[in-house]
Amino acid sequence: EVADELALAEGARRDLLTAIEARMAGLGEDARLVPFGPRAVLHLANFAALRRAATARRAFAATAQELAGLAAALLDLDRERRPDGVEPPERVERLGGFGGRFVDPGRLAGVVGRRAAGQPLSDERRRRLAAARDALAGFDLRPATPLWLLPATESGVDPAADLAAEMRLVADPCEAAAVAWDESAEPVARLVRAARLVRLESADALDPERHLPWLDHLDWRAFEDGERALVRPILARVRCEDLIAGGLAAFSRLLLSSRPVQIVLLACDRGPVEETVHFEPAWFALGHRETFVQSGSPARPRALVAGLERALGGSRPALHVVDNPVAAAAGLDPWLLASARVSGRAAPIFRYDPGAGASWARRLAFDENPEPEADWAREPLPGGEPAPFTFADAALADPAWRPGFALAGEEDDLVPLAEWLDLADEEAARRLPFVAAVDAAGSPRRCLVDHRVAAAARDRRAFWRSLQELTGVRSEHVDAAVARAREEERSRAARERAELEVAHQRELAELRSGADAEAVDRLVGALFDLQGSAPTAPLPRADQTIDRFG
């Protein structure tokens, strides 16, 4: 089909088929090709759950067999301790040829039971240990198929779909998921109790009064990671409209319950509606703090699968909000529409993992988006110049939003939507927003955007900026802190310059004062040196002076 669509020449067609065959040959026996479409995420989640369950059961199988053998050995040893544990003929045989002639096996059994290797186990402890041995020895290596719980209001869903899973239609998937998890966890709890009991008995550390009540009440909340993965995967499929219509309470209870259930929500915009603010189930789930939250798209399958596997390996509920755009317009590939929605911020990619650290910076991953620092990613226009690719640009390819656009004429008051969103209200009211497009002939055109599309674009940008602020990519608090730090640095530098100038002037004054004093000292010294070096003569008498001058 690809070769025909591209009208490839025979040589290129042959090269393409050879490359596809080589790719298929390297996939491996367990690999599956998933068709791109609305059910792609269900296949990916189901396959990831199956793989996780199979890996966990293989890892636990060796442990179960080892512990079962250890329990059997402990029971055999306990049987040796009991007076009636070994039949007299067997005991005589163990004493050797002459031992049976001189030793009473019955009396010897009583002594061995009391003194050798400690006291025998009580009947209750022996019964528990035998039950633990049987439970561990009977561990089934085959993983249970995942259980999908679908809303009964789901239209066009075949419970016997092509997923390798059990599918049930229920009134409320969230309530049913909590019940199903508890039911699926109980058989695993029995295995875990058996394993813990054998470990305590083998270490001779069991305190019946302290440990047995604890073991009796042990449930999935005390599971370790490998034990938790033995529980049958439970996946609930929910819908936005059902949550808004009254399902939020059960949804929130499940997110707060700590049950590691996978909740999958296929999200899509319903086209132009009266509400200008779009409900964000992922944002709602972030408020539960300890819930794993993923917002993904089939256009980014690697990030989507990584989030699914991370959530399945965790110990908390997980919500996967996956973009599920409606059918693309005729001639447009659905992958193109899904990718456009990622670039247009209609389907932002992020993952919130409470197990990744204590801070938002560690928990929230945001880097799978194109140009995460900007409001909008930039894509080349038909003329080649890059321009912001807004929500409206992505909506232009979606038939559900097509009524919100109209071809523009030669109006002078047209403004690109990305710029129009930054205008003040009064100025925006005098301008018409548009997005660039091309017609069927490939000629560039301008499409006017109505108020509903513009409002949706504003809402998408607001949500995007909220995510930016949470991730620290773009935060007014950070900007304000940086501005304060820069202002403080400028003030500190100005103070230091002023202090240096004052100190410099002081030093200059001191130098001048010192230079003046030194100059006077040198002058005085020079004068005294001149007087000391001149020849001395007796001063004339007064009468001689008068006679000389008068």
Side-chain angles (χ1 to χ4, degrees):
E1 291 178 359
V2 172
D4 292 339
E5 181 180 344
L6 298 178
L8 297 179
E10 186 60 32
R13 176 187 294 267
R14 190 165 49 251
D15 293 341
L16 174 63
L17 295 179
T18 301
I20 292 175
E21 290 172 357
R23 171 67 69 180
M24 293 294 296
L27 289 180
E29 295 182 359
D30 294 335
R32 299 289 183 273
L33 287 177
V34 177
F36 191 96
R39 296 176 61 81
V41 63
L42 306 183
H43 284 276
L44 292 174
N46 197 72
F47 186 70
L50 276 172
R51 182 166 57 183
R52 168 75 178 171
T55 302
R57 295 189 85 83
R58 283 196 300 269
F60 187 78
T63 301
Q65 293 304 314
E66 178 184 355
L67 292 175
L70 185 57
L74 290 172
L75 289 169
D76 289 342
L77 180 61
D78 182 66
R79 188 167 63 90
E80 295 283 351
R81 294 177 182 148
R82 294 172 174 270
D84 57 347
V86 179
E87 296 297 328
E90 181 181 351
R91 195 175 297 280
V92 170
E93 182 179 350
R94 293 184 181 182
L95 292 174
F98 293 98
R101 297 170 56 185
F102 301 103
V103 177
D104 182 356
R107 297 183 65 182
L108 177 62
V111 174
V112 171
R114 291 191 302 270
R115 299 183 180 179
Q119 292 294 328
L121 298 175
S122 66
D123 291 341
E124 175 63 18
R125 288 179 64 179
R126 184 176 177 84
R127 182 191 63 77
R128 282 178 174 268
L129 190 57
R133 175 202 59 196
D134 295 341
L136 293 167
F139 174 71
D140 188 359
L141 180 61
R142 296 170 301 174
T145 57
L147 173 61
W148 280 88
L149 300 165
L150 308 176
T153 55
E154 185 79 8
S155 60
V157 172
D158 180 9
D162 55 347
L163 293 177
E166 178 186 354
M167 306 182 75
R168 299 179 191 169
L169 295 177
V170 296
D172 191 323
C174 292
E175 288 186 356
V179 175
W181 171 263
D182 292 345
E183 293 175 350
S184 301
E186 182 51 35
V188 179
R190 290 194 290 268
L191 277 175
V192 173
R193 294 183 200 118
R196 305 279 175 88
L197 176 68
V198 173
R199 289 192 177 100
L200 287 170
E201 289 283 15
S202 64
D204 196 22
L206 181 70
D207 182 351
E209 293 184 358
R210 184 161 60 97
H211 290 131
L212 293 183
W214 168 70
L215 287 172
D216 288 339
H217 291 86
L218 185 145
D219 62 5
W220 57 267
R221 295 171 181 83
F223 288 177
E224 298 176 355
D225 289 344
E227 298 164 346
R228 192 181 303 106
L230 300 176
V231 181
R232 181 186 194 183
I234 307 297
L235 302 101
R237 160 87 162 86
V238 299
R239 304 194 309 168
C240 265
E241 46 266 46
D242 294 337
L243 296 180
I244 297 174
L248 282 176
F251 178 62
S252 184
R253 284 195 299 270
L254 183 57
L255 296 182
L256 294 170
S257 70
S258 299
R259 294 175 175 86
V261 172
Q262 307 301 309
I263 307 171
V264 179
L265 191 152
L266 302 184
C268 67
D269 294 318
R270 293 170 292 174
V273 292
E274 295 302 324
E275 297 84 357
T276 58
V277 178
H278 188 65
F279 172 63
E280 296 293 345
W283 188 263
F284 178 82
L286 287 177
H288 294 73
R289 300 191 308 280
E290 293 303 314
T291 297
F292 184 99
V293 182
Q294 173 178 218
S295 176
S297 169
R300 298 291 190 275
R302 292 184 183 273
L304 182 59
V305 172
L308 288 168
E309 292 182 341
R310 177 70 177 171
L312 285 163
S315 60
R316 43 181 57 86
L319 173 65
H320 308 275
V321 180
V322 183
D323 188 44
N324 184 37
V326 297
L332 286 181
D333 189 89
W335 181 88
L336 179 63
L337 176 57
S339 298
R341 288 173 59 81
V342 172
S343 295
R345 313 310 192 200
I349 308 296
F350 67 88
R351 184 172 67 245
Y352 175 77
D353 184 1
S359 64
W360 279 90
R362 296 181 181 274
R363 293 184 171 193
L364 196 57
F366 191 65
D367 52 0
E368 290 289 341
N369 296 281
E371 300 186 45
E373 300 85 2
D375 277 343
W376 310 105
R378 299 179 69 83
E379 298 288 346
L381 289 172
E385 292 295 326
F389 190 87
T390 68
F391 170 82
D393 292 275
L396 187 61
D398 190 337
W401 286 96
R402 192 63 53 79
F405 297 90
L407 288 176
E410 300 299 328
E411 294 89 348
D412 295 333
D413 53 354
L414 297 183
V415 178
L417 178 63
E419 299 178 13
W420 182 86
L421 292 173
D422 291 327
L423 296 177
D425 292 342
E426 294 182 0
E427 180 66 18
R430 294 193 293 267
R431 300 299 186 95
L432 296 175
F434 76 92
V435 293
V438 294
D439 58 19
S443 302
R445 303 295 296 269
R446 294 187 297 183
C447 290
L448 293 174
V449 176
D450 74 1
H451 70 279
R452 291 172 296 183
V453 179
R458 190 185 302 277
D459 175 61
R460 295 292 83 201
R461 188 183 67 169
F463 180 54
W464 176 256
R465 287 181 173 180
S466 298
L467 292 174
Q468 285 180 315
E469 190 157 3
L470 286 179
T471 57
V473 171
R474 178 177 180 175
S475 171
E476 290 190 10
H477 296 291
V478 174
D479 294 342
V482 171
R484 285 196 300 271
R486 288 175 177 171
E487 182 61 30
E488 291 174 359
E489 180 63 22
R490 285 194 293 267
S491 299
R492 185 184 63 80
R495 288 195 303 271
E496 290 180 353
R497 285 195 300 271
E499 292 173 357
L500 287 174
E501 290 177 0
V502 171
H504 183 61
Q505 294 298 330
R506 186 184 303 113
E507 291 176 359
L508 287 177
E510 292 175 354
L511 288 174
R512 291 193 186 98
S513 176
D516 293 344
E518 183 178 357
V520 171
D521 290 341
R522 288 179 179 177
L523 178 60
V524 172
L527 291 175
F528 278 103
D529 287 342
L530 289 175
Q531 291 179 357
S533 59
T536 57
L539 293 174
R541 295 194 305 272
D543 56 349
Q544 293 177 341
T545 302
I546 294 172
D547 291 342
R548 180 180 298 176
F549 295 101

